[in-house]
Amino acid sequence: MRRALVLLVLAAAALLVVVDRAVTPLTPVRAAGSRVYGAAESAFGAAARVFGGDGRLRELERENAALRARLLSSGTRSAGRLPVPGGYQGVAAHVVGFGRGRSVAIDAGTSAGLGRDMTVLDADGLVGKVTWAGPETASVSLITDAGSSIGARVAGSGELGVVTGVPGAGLRLSLFDPNAPVEVGAQVVTLGSAGGRPYVAGVPIGTVTALESAPGAATRTALVRPAARLSALGLVTVVVPRPER
């Protein structure tokens, strides 16, 4: 019984990964995978109680519930850091899988209010944006994806630019003014998108680690280290509009 449930969870997770970046005709398949994964996860939790480890499992569940409650009730992403902008609220989710390219799967979906092009972050900074959402799970494209493009501002100087993903190198900042002042150690934050989607304003993107030299270039560029630890993601927050009362 336990082995069968484990296999079911793994199969459902594999299904989500396979269709992670699928085209529109596969959307019903992805939604089905999301429902199966959610149901299998619940069934596995019930089986774990039956087959032992009940005390430890309950303890972990209580800790997880308390953490989510604190995060949502305080309106912050973690330990009072990175406040959610006015008009928005945070939906907590855990990273539960990795897709092809620079993407991850999380255990929250449309039933929690998630949709395409919503900002995803953790306690340290910007993680990415939602690219697809099923009933109980969603796919998140990381900021280091080669197709990522984020309007950015250099904290302090206010200089504007665009941050793009660079495979193997993290992020690259391209400033609109080729003569703009920027130094190693400068902090880069999101400029913000119209309507807050896909990115709300003021979220830390990363820190400038190196300046690139390209005489005569139309822009000035620099390498940026992501603020979020994208290789060790656990609990993340999806920024969703606050319901109107």
Side-chain angles (χ1 to χ4, degrees):
M1 174 66 177
R2 189 174 186 178
R3 182 178 181 184
L5 286 170
V6 172
L7 292 176
L8 177 59
V9 172
L10 292 176
L15 174 61
L16 290 173
V17 170
V18 169
V19 300
D20 176 65
R21 292 192 175 180
V23 294
T24 302
L26 284 180
T27 296
V29 178
R30 300 179 68 163
S34 175
R35 293 190 182 94
V36 170
Y37 185 85
E41 188 176 38
S42 297
F44 183 77
R49 294 183 180 89
V50 173
F51 288 101
D54 182 75
R56 179 54 180 161
L57 181 60
R58 287 183 181 277
E59 181 183 350
L60 291 173
E61 287 177 341
R62 285 195 297 269
E63 292 175 358
N64 180 53
L67 178 60
R68 289 193 181 215
R70 287 199 301 272
L71 181 140
L72 294 177
S73 63
S74 65
T76 59
R77 297 167 182 63
S78 176
R81 302 172 66 187
L82 300 178
V84 175
Y88 297 90
Q89 64 185 13
V91 173
H94 290 89
V95 172
V96 295
F98 296 85
R100 290 181 298 173
R102 303 296 297 178
S103 65
V104 296
I106 57 176
D107 63 352
T110 55
S111 63
L114 274 61
R116 283 180 57 90
D117 291 334
M118 288 184 171
T119 306
V120 182
L121 38 84
D122 68 2
D124 298 309
L126 187 64
V127 170
K129 65 179 180 179
V130 175
T131 53
W132 174 86
E136 304 298 336
T137 59
S139 296
V140 176
S141 174
L142 301 181
I143 57 176
T144 48
D145 185 281
S148 175
S149 180
I150 308 163
R153 183 188 299 275
V154 178
S157 69
E159 293 291 340
L160 303 180
V162 175
V163 171
T164 54
V166 182
L171 303 170
R172 173 174 284 116
L173 168 66
S174 298
L175 295 172
F176 297 144
D177 181 355
N179 300 311
V182 62
E183 299 178 351
V184 171
Q187 302 299 305
V188 182
V189 301
T190 54
L191 176 63
S193 310
R197 298 174 71 168
Y199 302 110
V200 295
V203 179
I205 297 174
T207 303
V208 173
T209 58
L211 304 179
E212 296 183 313
S213 178
T219 60
R220 186 172 189 184
T221 61
L223 296 181
V224 174
R225 180 180 66 251
R229 292 183 59 200
L230 301 178
S231 62
L233 293 173
L235 183 69
V236 298
T237 298
V238 183
V239 180
V240 304
R242 190 178 297 277
E244 296 183 2
R245 297 180 178 178

